[in-house]
Amino acid sequence: NLQKIIKELLFILTLKYSCYICTVLYITKLMGKIISFANQKGGVGKTSLCAIFANHLTAKGQKVSVKDMDIQMSLSGHREDDLKVDPEAKPSWDVEFVNPMDSKEVAAKLQAWKADDSITLIDAPGSLAFPGLVPILKNADIIVIPMTYDHDVLRSTLGFLKVVLGTLQVKAKLVFLPNRINVSEGTQEELAQQRHNADILKKYGILAPRIKQSVKVKRYSTIYENDTYLEKAVAYAFEPIVELIKK
């Protein structure tokens, strides 16, 4: 009986130790990950999706740091406005503005972000003319490209890809994130064109499930977690990004 008890205790200890090792290895994989939300076409929801994804990750217990590199400081401004409404709020992630014009500063900060124990999310500047965008793209582990299927947006997105994959030869994993999609609009011809455009994007990276046009997505918060309705709207679309982070 004593031997049986000892064997059972050893089994339990081994199991707990294995779980501990797996957890350590899993966290180590997540450390220093840099994810950039980028596209040279404005109005695709780059800033809002970056903030919503930060909330999505912190709700899962992941430590996140957000960098605002948009010259308009949209994300930083949103955080300031949110805190004016609730000064006592304790956001689950910090946001830091980084000057997109200073490539040397960005390059230096990148080293610190890679050594950090959190996932760094970057709301990238909306133009390749900003010098700081190049080191961000070249050092990112994942580039999330919010987009719509509109002709102008797709054309701009493909132009962005030409620079990212051709000129800069970026090695990051690419995730195309269709956003603000109105599922009730579109003729048969337009829907067929959307499917064709989707096939084009799949040649370059992962095409995430679409995020439908919704008031909930527009009304995001930088100080509170995503509510149930917002999570339901984005969770499925975020799954491919989360899976890439784990690898």
Side-chain angles (χ1 to χ4, degrees):
N1 289 335
L2 182 60
Q3 287 183 339
K4 184 178 180 182
I5 292 171
I6 292 173
K7 284 183 179 179
E8 287 178 351
L9 286 174
L10 287 173
F11 175 76
I12 292 170
L13 288 173
T14 302
L15 185 62
K16 285 186 175 180
Y17 181 73
S18 298
C19 290
Y20 170 77
I21 294 296
C22 289
T23 302
V24 170
L25 289 174
Y26 174 70
I27 293 173
T28 302
K29 276 187 174 184
L30 298 184
M31 286 176 60
K33 293 279 188 179
I34 295 177
I35 304 172
S36 177
F37 285 72
N39 198 336
Q40 66 180 2
K41 184 64 177 176
V44 291
K46 178 171 58 66
T47 299
S48 58
L49 290 176
C50 182
I52 293 169
F53 189 60
N55 290 337
H56 181 75
L57 289 179
T58 55
K60 295 178 178 293
Q62 178 59 48
K63 186 177 178 183
V64 172
S65 180
V66 178
K67 312 303 176 185
D68 181 3
M69 287 188 64
D70 192 327
I71 200 67
Q72 299 178 42
M73 299 180 68
S74 300
L75 195 49
S76 300
H78 199 127
R79 168 60 64 83
E80 288 179 9
D81 292 341
D82 283 346
L83 287 175
K84 286 177 184 177
V85 175
D86 187 358
E88 301 301 317
K90 296 181 179 179
S92 58
W93 46 272
D94 63 292
V95 56
E96 173 192 7
F97 175 72
V98 179
N99 185 3
M101 293 300 295
D102 192 339
S103 59
K104 289 184 178 180
E105 179 189 356
V106 172
K109 285 181 176 291
L110 276 164
Q111 300 308 310
W113 299 343
K114 281 185 172 293
D116 197 6
D117 63 347
S118 63
I119 293 177
T120 299
L121 304 182
I122 302 172
D123 181 18
S127 171
L128 289 160
F130 291 99
L133 181 56
V134 174
I136 288 299
L137 296 176
K138 290 182 78 70
N139 285 275
D141 296 288
I142 303 169
I143 299 175
V144 179
I145 306 175
M147 36 73 67
T148 69
Y149 288 114
D150 294 347
H151 174 78
D152 291 341
V153 174
L154 182 70
R155 182 175 180 180
S156 179
T157 300
L158 290 175
F160 179 68
L161 285 177
K162 185 177 181 180
V163 175
V164 169
L165 298 177
T167 307
L168 300 180
Q169 296 186 337
V170 167
K171 304 300 182 185
K173 298 291 185 182
L174 305 183
V175 179
F176 300 99
L177 188 53
N179 187 35
R180 299 175 179 171
I181 305 300
N182 191 331
V183 295
S184 63
E185 289 184 354
T187 63
Q188 290 297 323
E189 291 78 10
E190 288 171 337
L191 294 175
Q193 185 62 47
Q194 281 189 19
R195 290 191 291 270
H196 174 70
N197 294 341
D199 289 337
I200 292 175
L201 294 176
K202 288 176 184 177
K203 295 177 182 179
Y204 300 100
I206 297 170
L207 181 64
R210 65 192 176 191
I211 297 176
K212 297 178 183 179
Q213 186 170 312
S214 167
V215 125
K216 279 292 180 183
V217 178
K218 292 180 181 178
R219 294 175 182 168
Y220 68 94
S221 172
T222 67
I223 60 174
Y224 304 134
E225 64 182 21
N226 300 333
D227 63 29
T228 304
Y229 298 102
L230 179 52
E231 266 299 308
K232 187 177 180 180
V234 300
Y236 188 43
F238 284 161
E239 279 184 15
I241 310 172
V242 173
E243 288 304 310
L244 281 179
I245 292 173
K246 293 178 183 178
K247 293 181 178 179

Coordinates of all heavy atoms in Angstrom, one line a residue, residues 31-85:
M31 N 7.0 35.9 -25.0 CA 7.9 37.0 -24.6 C 8.5 37.7 -25.9 O 9.0 37.0 -26.7 CB 8.9 36.6 -23.6 CG 8.4 36.3 -22.2 SD 9.7 35.7 -21.1 CE 10.9 37.1 -21.2
G32 N 8.5 39.0 -25.9 CA 9.2 39.7 -26.9 C 8.6 39.7 -28.3 O 9.2 40.2 -29.3
K33 N 7.3 39.2 -28.4 CA 6.6 39.2 -29.7 C 6.2 40.6 -30.0 O 5.7 41.4 -29.2 CB 5.4 38.3 -29.6 CG 5.6 36.9 -29.4 CD 6.0 36.2 -30.7 CE 6.1 34.7 -30.6 NZ 6.4 34.0 -31.8
I34 N 6.4 41.0 -31.3 CA 6.1 42.3 -31.8 C 5.0 42.2 -32.9 O 5.3 41.5 -33.9 CB 7.3 43.1 -32.3 CG1 8.3 43.4 -31.1 CG2 6.9 44.4 -32.9 CD1 9.5 44.1 -31.5
I35 N 3.9 42.8 -32.7 CA 2.8 42.7 -33.6 C 2.4 44.1 -34.1 O 2.1 44.9 -33.3 CB 1.6 42.0 -33.0 CG1 1.9 40.6 -32.5 CG2 0.4 41.9 -34.1 CD1 0.9 39.9 -31.7
S36 N 2.5 44.3 -35.4 CA 2.3 45.6 -35.9 C 0.9 45.6 -36.7 O 0.7 44.8 -37.5 CB 3.4 46.1 -36.8 OG 3.1 47.3 -37.4
F37 N 0.1 46.6 -36.4 CA -1.1 46.8 -37.1 C -0.8 47.9 -38.1 O -0.6 49.1 -37.8 CB -2.3 47.3 -36.2 CG -2.9 46.1 -35.4 CD1 -2.1 45.6 -34.3 CD2 -4.1 45.6 -35.7 CE1 -2.7 44.5 -33.6 CE2 -4.6 44.5 -35.0 CZ -3.9 44.0 -33.9
A38 N -0.8 47.5 -39.4 CA -0.3 48.5 -40.4 C -1.0 48.3 -41.8 O -1.4 47.2 -42.2 CB 1.2 48.2 -40.6
N39 N -1.2 49.5 -42.4 CA -1.7 49.6 -43.8 C -1.5 51.0 -44.2 O -1.7 51.9 -43.3 CB -3.1 49.1 -43.9 CG -3.5 48.8 -45.3 OD1 -2.9 49.3 -46.3 ND2 -4.5 47.9 -45.5
Q40 N -1.2 51.3 -45.4 CA -1.0 52.6 -45.8 C -2.3 53.3 -46.2 O -2.4 54.5 -46.4 CB 0.0 52.7 -47.0 CG -0.5 52.1 -48.3 CD 0.5 52.2 -49.4 OE1 1.5 52.8 -49.2 NE2 0.1 51.7 -50.6
K41 N -3.4 52.5 -46.2 CA -4.7 53.1 -46.5 C -5.4 53.4 -45.2 O -5.6 52.6 -44.3 CB -5.5 52.0 -47.3 CG -6.9 52.6 -47.8 CD -6.8 53.7 -48.7 CE -8.2 54.2 -49.2 NZ -8.1 55.3 -50.1
G42 N -5.9 54.6 -45.1 CA -6.6 55.1 -43.9 C -8.0 54.6 -43.8 O -8.6 54.2 -44.8
G43 N -8.6 54.7 -42.7 CA -10.1 54.4 -42.6 C -10.4 52.9 -42.5 O -11.6 52.6 -42.7
V44 N -9.4 52.1 -42.3 CA -9.7 50.6 -42.2 C -9.8 50.1 -40.8 O -10.0 48.9 -40.6 CB -8.6 49.8 -43.0 CG1 -8.7 50.1 -44.5 CG2 -7.2 50.1 -42.5
G45 N -9.6 50.9 -39.8 CA -9.8 50.5 -38.4 C -8.5 50.0 -37.8 O -8.6 49.3 -36.8
K46 N -7.4 50.5 -38.2 CA -6.1 50.1 -37.7 C -6.0 50.3 -36.2 O -5.6 49.5 -35.4 CB -5.0 50.8 -38.5 CG -3.6 50.5 -38.0 CD -2.6 51.0 -39.0 CE -2.8 52.5 -39.2 NZ -2.4 53.3 -38.0
T47 N -6.3 51.6 -35.8 CA -6.2 52.0 -34.4 C -7.2 51.3 -33.5 O -6.8 50.7 -32.4 CB -6.4 53.5 -34.3 OG1 -5.4 54.2 -35.0 CG2 -6.3 53.9 -32.8
S48 N -8.4 51.2 -33.9 CA -9.4 50.6 -33.1 C -9.2 49.1 -32.9 O -9.3 48.5 -31.8 CB -10.8 50.8 -33.6 OG -10.9 50.3 -35.0
L49 N -8.7 48.4 -33.9 CA -8.5 47.0 -33.8 C -7.2 46.7 -33.0 O -7.2 45.7 -32.3 CB -8.3 46.4 -35.2 CG -9.5 46.3 -36.1 CD1 -9.2 45.8 -37.5 CD2 -10.6 45.4 -35.4
C50 N -6.3 47.6 -33.0 CA -5.1 47.4 -32.2 C -5.5 47.5 -30.7 O -5.1 46.6 -29.9 CB -4.1 48.5 -32.5 SG -2.5 48.4 -31.5
A51 N -6.3 48.4 -30.3 CA -6.8 48.6 -29.0 C -7.7 47.4 -28.5 O -7.6 46.9 -27.4 CB -7.6 49.9 -28.8
I52 N -8.6 47.0 -29.4 CA -9.5 45.9 -29.1 C -8.7 44.6 -28.9 O -9.1 43.8 -28.1 CB -10.6 45.8 -30.2 CG1 -11.5 47.0 -30.2 CG2 -11.4 44.5 -30.0 CD1 -12.4 47.1 -31.4
F53 N -7.7 44.4 -29.8 CA -6.9 43.2 -29.6 C -6.1 43.2 -28.3 O -5.9 42.2 -27.7 CB -5.9 43.1 -30.8 CG -5.2 41.8 -30.9 CD1 -5.9 40.6 -31.0 CD2 -3.8 41.7 -30.9 CE1 -5.3 39.3 -31.0 CE2 -3.2 40.5 -30.9 CZ -3.9 39.3 -31.0
A54 N -5.6 44.4 -27.9 CA -4.9 44.5 -26.6 C -5.9 44.1 -25.5 O -5.5 43.3 -24.6 CB -4.5 46.0 -26.4
N55 N -7.1 44.5 -25.5 CA -8.1 44.1 -24.5 C -8.3 42.6 -24.6 O -8.5 41.9 -23.6 CB -9.4 44.8 -24.8 CG -9.4 46.3 -24.4 OD1 -8.5 46.7 -23.7 ND2 -10.2 47.1 -25.0
H56 N -8.4 42.1 -25.8 CA -8.6 40.7 -26.0 C -7.5 39.8 -25.4 O -7.8 38.8 -24.7 CB -8.7 40.4 -27.5 CG -9.0 39.0 -27.9 ND1 -10.2 38.4 -27.8 CD2 -8.1 38.0 -28.4 CE1 -10.1 37.1 -28.2 NE2 -8.9 36.9 -28.6
L57 N -6.3 40.2 -25.5 CA -5.2 39.5 -25.0 C -5.1 39.6 -23.5 O -4.8 38.6 -22.8 CB -3.8 40.0 -25.6 CG -3.6 39.6 -27.1 CD1 -2.3 40.2 -27.6 CD2 -3.6 38.1 -27.3
T58 N -5.3 40.8 -22.9 CA -5.2 41.0 -21.5 C -6.3 40.2 -20.8 O -6.1 39.8 -19.6 CB -5.2 42.5 -21.1 OG1 -6.3 43.1 -21.6 CG2 -3.9 43.2 -21.6
A59 N -7.4 40.1 -21.4 CA -8.5 39.3 -20.8 C -8.1 37.9 -20.7 O -8.7 37.1 -19.8 CB -9.8 39.5 -21.7
K60 N -7.2 37.4 -21.5 CA -6.7 36.0 -21.4 C -5.5 35.9 -20.4 O -4.9 34.8 -20.3 CB -6.3 35.6 -22.8 CG -7.4 35.5 -23.8 CD -6.9 35.0 -25.2 CE -8.0 34.9 -26.2 NZ -8.9 33.8 -25.8
G61 N -5.1 37.0 -19.8 CA -4.0 37.0 -18.8 C -2.7 37.3 -19.4 O -1.7 37.2 -18.7
Q62 N -2.6 37.8 -20.6 CA -1.4 38.1 -21.3 C -1.0 39.5 -21.0 O -1.8 40.4 -21.1 CB -1.5 37.8 -22.8 CG -0.2 38.2 -23.6 CD 1.0 37.4 -23.1 OE1 0.9 36.2 -23.0 NE2 2.1 38.1 -22.9
K63 N 0.3 39.7 -20.7 CA 0.8 41.1 -20.5 C 1.0 41.7 -21.8 O 1.7 41.2 -22.7 CB 2.1 41.0 -19.7 CG 2.7 42.4 -19.3 CD 3.9 42.3 -18.5 CE 4.5 43.7 -18.1 NZ 5.7 43.5 -17.4
V64 N 0.5 42.9 -22.0 CA 0.6 43.6 -23.3 C 1.0 45.1 -23.1 O 0.7 45.7 -22.1 CB -0.9 43.7 -23.9 CG1 -0.9 44.5 -25.2 CG2 -1.3 42.2 -24.3
S65 N 1.8 45.5 -24.1 CA 2.3 46.9 -24.1 C 1.9 47.5 -25.5 O 2.2 46.8 -26.5 CB 3.8 47.0 -23.8 OG 4.2 48.4 -23.9
V66 N 1.3 48.6 -25.5 CA 0.9 49.2 -26.8 C 1.7 50.5 -27.2 O 1.9 51.3 -26.3 CB -0.6 49.5 -26.8 CG1 -1.0 50.2 -28.1 CG2 -1.4 48.3 -26.5
K67 N 2.2 50.5 -28.4 CA 2.9 51.7 -28.9 C 2.1 52.4 -29.9 O 1.7 51.8 -30.9 CB 4.3 51.3 -29.4 CG 5.1 50.3 -28.5 CD 5.3 50.9 -27.2 CE 6.0 49.8 -26.2 NZ 6.2 50.3 -24.9
D68 N 1.9 53.7 -29.7 CA 1.2 54.5 -30.7 C 2.2 55.3 -31.6 O 2.9 56.2 -31.1 CB 0.4 55.6 -29.9 CG -0.4 56.5 -30.8 OD1 -0.4 56.3 -32.0 OD2 -1.1 57.4 -30.3
M69 N 2.3 54.8 -32.8 CA 3.2 55.5 -33.8 C 2.5 56.2 -34.9 O 3.2 56.7 -35.8 CB 4.2 54.4 -34.4 CG 5.2 53.9 -33.4 SD 6.4 52.8 -34.2 CE 7.2 53.9 -35.3
D70 N 1.2 56.4 -34.7 CA 0.5 57.2 -35.6 C 0.7 58.7 -35.3 O 0.5 59.1 -34.2 CB -1.0 56.9 -35.5 CG -1.9 57.4 -36.6 OD1 -1.5 58.5 -37.1 OD2 -2.8 56.8 -37.0
I71 N 1.1 59.4 -36.3 CA 1.5 60.8 -36.1 C 0.3 61.6 -35.5 O 0.4 62.7 -34.9 CB 2.0 61.5 -37.4 CG1 2.8 62.8 -37.1 CG2 0.9 61.7 -38.4 CD1 4.1 62.5 -36.3
Q72 N -1.0 61.1 -35.8 CA -2.2 61.8 -35.3 C -2.4 61.5 -33.8 O -3.3 62.1 -33.2 CB -3.4 61.4 -36.1 CG -3.3 61.8 -37.6 CD -4.5 61.3 -38.4 OE1 -5.6 61.4 -37.9 NE2 -4.2 60.8 -39.6
M73 N -1.7 60.5 -33.3 CA -1.8 60.1 -31.9 C -3.2 59.8 -31.5 O -3.7 60.1 -30.4 CB -1.3 61.2 -30.9 CG 0.2 61.6 -31.2 SD 0.8 62.9 -30.1 CE 0.8 62.1 -28.5
S74 N -3.9 59.1 -32.4 CA -5.3 58.7 -32.2 C -5.5 57.8 -30.9 O -6.4 58.0 -30.1 CB -5.8 58.0 -33.4 OG -5.7 58.8 -34.6
L75 N -4.6 56.8 -30.8 CA -4.7 55.9 -29.7 C -4.4 56.6 -28.3 O -5.1 56.4 -27.3 CB -3.8 54.7 -29.9 CG -4.1 53.4 -29.0 CD1 -5.5 53.0 -29.0 CD2 -3.2 52.3 -29.5
S76 N -3.4 57.4 -28.3 CA -3.0 58.1 -27.1 C -4.1 59.1 -26.7 O -4.4 59.2 -25.6 CB -1.7 58.9 -27.3 OG -0.6 58.0 -27.7
G77 N -4.7 59.7 -27.7 CA -5.7 60.7 -27.5 C -7.0 60.0 -27.0 O -7.7 60.5 -26.1
H78 N -7.3 58.8 -27.5 CA -8.4 58.0 -27.0 C -8.2 57.6 -25.6 O -9.2 57.7 -24.8 CB -8.6 56.8 -27.9 CG -10.0 56.2 -27.8 ND1 -10.7 55.9 -28.9 CD2 -10.7 55.8 -26.8 CE1 -11.9 55.4 -28.6 NE2 -11.9 55.3 -27.3
R79 N -7.0 57.2 -25.2 CA -6.8 56.9 -23.8 C -7.0 58.1 -22.9 O -7.6 58.0 -21.8 CB -5.3 56.3 -23.7 CG -4.8 56.2 -22.3 CD -5.6 55.2 -21.4 NE -5.6 53.9 -21.8 CZ -4.6 53.0 -21.6 NH1 -3.6 53.3 -20.9 NH2 -4.8 51.7 -22.0
E80 N -6.5 59.3 -23.3 CA -6.6 60.5 -22.5 C -8.1 60.8 -22.3 O -8.5 61.2 -21.2 CB -5.9 61.7 -23.2 CG -4.4 61.6 -23.1 CD -3.8 62.8 -23.9 OE1 -4.5 63.7 -24.3 OE2 -2.5 62.8 -24.0
D81 N -8.9 60.7 -23.4 CA -10.3 61.0 -23.3 C -11.0 60.0 -22.4 O -11.9 60.4 -21.6 CB -11.0 60.9 -24.7 CG -10.5 62.1 -25.6 OD1 -10.0 63.1 -25.1 OD2 -10.6 62.0 -26.8
D82 N -10.6 58.7 -22.5 CA -11.3 57.7 -21.6 C -11.0 58.0 -20.2 O -11.9 57.8 -19.3 CB -10.7 56.3 -22.0 CG -11.4 55.7 -23.3 OD1 -12.4 56.3 -23.7 OD2 -10.8 54.8 -23.8
L83 N -9.8 58.4 -19.9 CA -9.4 58.7 -18.5 C -10.0 59.9 -17.9 O -10.2 60.1 -16.7 CB -7.9 58.8 -18.4 CG -7.1 57.4 -18.5 CD1 -5.6 57.7 -18.5 CD2 -7.5 56.5 -17.3
K84 N -10.4 60.8 -18.8 CA -11.1 62.0 -18.4 C -12.5 61.6 -17.9 O -13.0 62.2 -16.9 CB -11.3 63.0 -19.5 CG -10.0 63.8 -19.8 CD -10.1 64.7 -21.1 CE -8.8 65.3 -21.4 NZ -9.0 66.2 -22.7
V85 N -13.1 60.6 -18.5 CA -14.4 60.2 -18.1 C -14.3 59.4 -16.8 O -15.2 59.5 -15.9 CB -15.0 59.3 -19.2 CG1 -16.4 58.7 -18.8 CG2 -15.2 60.1 -20.5

